[in-house]
Amino acid sequence: MDHFGGAPAPFDGVAGVELRHLRAFMAVADEGGFTHAAARLRIGQPTLTRTVRSLEETLGARLFDRTTRRVELTPEGRRLRDDLAGLLPRLDEALRAPCAGSLLRLGFTWTLPDGWARVSRAFESETGARVRLVRRDAPLAGLDAGDCDVAVLRGEASENVPGLATSTLLHERRVAAVATGSPLSARRVLDWTELADWPLVVNTLTGTTRLDLWPEARRPQVRCTADNVDEWVEAIAAGHGVGVAPESVRRYSHPGVRYVRLKNAPAVPLVIAIPASGAHPLAARFAATARRLTAPHLSGPRRAAPGPTAPNPTGRTPARPRGAAS
């Protein structure tokens, strides 16, 4: 009997234990320390320390002996490690089973960033689901129309869209696309401000560069518009003007187009988006995988776009002279 006149409540430490606690513990046990374990889990060391401490408090046992030089398992920790070594893989397999064969449609506009395939591979490995790529020449890559379950979008206009939950993953550098016969094709680097002197070819549906990125007193003129990146590339090759796009566009190789590095150009946000309600059960899981794996492995620095004006790439206001360059 306890002091309140009732039978003591049975210990129920399992009620407060989550999978993240167990995986954190096993990572530290396997790696022999918190530094390498945090790197393996791709989380900060303070977060890992708090997670392991929370597990110890929930179980009521110290799992590690910590000194300034080493981290060692206690007898209780060794017993838990031995039990989990066989249990966790079986649990992971059981949790993946319902997802096996599920299909998640990943929407994009004109191309995915360099290195993106590793995100899809990791997601498929972790869940057993399959990823189908869906290209749509539309501002939201078909996410608003139900053509896909999760989408990779570009530009500040994609970061705050009603009805979507979005997360900015990184920022991509911009390059200039010029015709091989243009005087600019001999240049190795162009300054952003120089483009104000050249006519632009713009992609009015899935572009990322607005005219208001330049100072109002000195902006380029739009010479030609396109509805997709293929038309955009052909128009540049035909000498209709200069194009501006994220660096991933280099994969659109064309004998009549050369891509030139830009300095002082505002960067382009890369955004992962899912419906805010009624999303595919695996959509949030895919978005979390993308956040975990993007930087620094994908192209472009993780930094804010410079410049005094607030960029507002279109994709939502097509066929207007102040629209977006691809």
Side-chain angles (χ1 to χ4, degrees), residues 124-272:
E124 291 179 336
S125 175
E126 293 167 1
T127 64
R130 295 184 298 114
V131 176
R132 174 183 293 170
L133 299 180
V134 178
R135 172 181 164 174
R136 292 291 183 271
D137 290 319
L140 298 179
L143 190 59
D144 52 338
D147 294 337
C148 60
D149 306 303
V150 59
V152 177
L153 309 173
R154 289 179 170 90
E156 283 84 351
S158 304
E159 293 180 302
N160 297 289
V161 180
L164 296 185
T166 63
S167 178
T168 300
L169 303 175
L170 50 79
H171 291 80
E172 294 181 280
R173 289 180 288 264
R174 279 184 167 94
V175 296
V178 300
T180 53
S182 165
L184 297 179
S185 64
R187 299 279 297 276
R188 295 181 59 187
V189 181
L190 289 170
D191 190 275
W192 176 254
T193 58
E194 293 183 70
L195 298 183
D197 299 324
W198 296 84
L200 290 184
V201 176
V202 302
N203 178 343
T204 56
L205 283 183
T206 57
T208 57
T209 303
R210 290 181 61 92
L211 294 183
D212 56 16
L213 287 172
W214 284 270
E216 185 175 3
R218 192 164 182 264
R219 291 176 178 170
Q221 296 295 314
V222 175
R223 173 71 59 79
C224 178
T225 62
D227 291 335
N228 56 65
V229 71
D230 303 285
E231 293 178 2
W232 179 82
V233 170
E234 292 295 344
I236 295 167
H240 295 164
V242 175
V244 181
E247 199 167 30
S248 299
V249 78
R250 291 181 183 274
R251 277 184 280 157
Y252 278 81
S253 178
H254 191 292
V257 174
R258 181 171 181 266
Y259 298 104
V260 181
R261 185 166 64 89
L262 281 173
K263 64 179 182 179
N264 300 319
V268 181
L270 183 78
V271 175
I272 188 83

Side-chain angles (χ1 to χ4, degrees), residues 91-107:
L91 182 58
D92 287 338
E93 183 177 350
L95 293 176
R96 280 197 300 267
C99 301
S102 295
L103 180 67
L104 186 78
R105 299 167 300 166
L106 173 61

